[in-house]
Amino acid sequence: KGHMLLHPSAVRHGGNRLTAGERWVLVVFLSTRRPRRVEHSRRFKERARARGEMGDVNGELTELRHALRLCPSDHELWYDAGAALHDAGRLELARRYYERAVALNDLDAQPHNNLAAL
């Protein structure tokens, strides 16, 4: 019995202090064929979020497009870009981005909801 956690290496992590018993830790390193692409894509997404929070929609879209070039199969990136376009009033382009997000993962409710709102 126990738990498992998977996270990127850049995420700080740790365990709670033990008050009784013992803890066993099994560490596994996962190496992908294109780890740099995934990591760079994540950083572009973080920068896009920051630019969006500052109201810089064009900067947000630029960062998301960089991320999409690296990970074109990431449905969340397509959704995020669609939402930024939606907020900017570029509705037809937002629709295409939402549709791509749905095509990549039709179980995610967010792009479905936003398509219905267009």
Side-chain angles (χ1 to χ4, degrees), residues 54-72:
M54 294 185 308
D56 180 7
V57 176
N58 289 328
E60 179 182 14
L61 287 167
T62 298
E63 300 293 346
L64 288 168
R65 285 185 183 118
H66 288 313
L68 282 166
R69 278 191 213 108
L70 294 171
C71 292

Side-chain angles (χ1 to χ4, degrees), residues 19-76:
T19 57
E22 61 184 29
R23 173 183 297 148
W24 287 59
V25 178
L26 172 65
V27 178
V28 177
F29 294 93
L30 176 65
S31 192
T32 65
R33 290 183 181 178
R34 294 183 282 178
R36 293 194 190 281
R37 287 180 179 238
V38 172
E39 184 65 20
H40 290 311
S41 174
R42 185 178 64 80
R43 289 191 178 144
F44 281 124
K45 185 174 180 175
E46 289 171 1
R47 289 176 17 193
R49 185 178 311 121
R51 287 183 176 236
E53 289 172 359
M54 294 185 308
D56 180 7
V57 176
N58 289 328
E60 179 182 14
L61 287 167
T62 298
E63 300 293 346
L64 288 168
R65 285 185 183 118
H66 288 313
L68 282 166
R69 278 191 213 108
L70 294 171
C71 292
S73 62
D74 185 334
H75 73 280
E76 290 180 0

Side-chain angles (χ1 to χ4, degrees), residues 8 10 80:
D80 291 345

Side-chain angles (χ1 to χ4, degrees), residues 79-94:
Y79 169 78
D80 291 345
L85 289 162
H86 194 157
D87 292 344
R90 298 170 65 186
L91 303 182
E92 191 49 46
L93 192 53

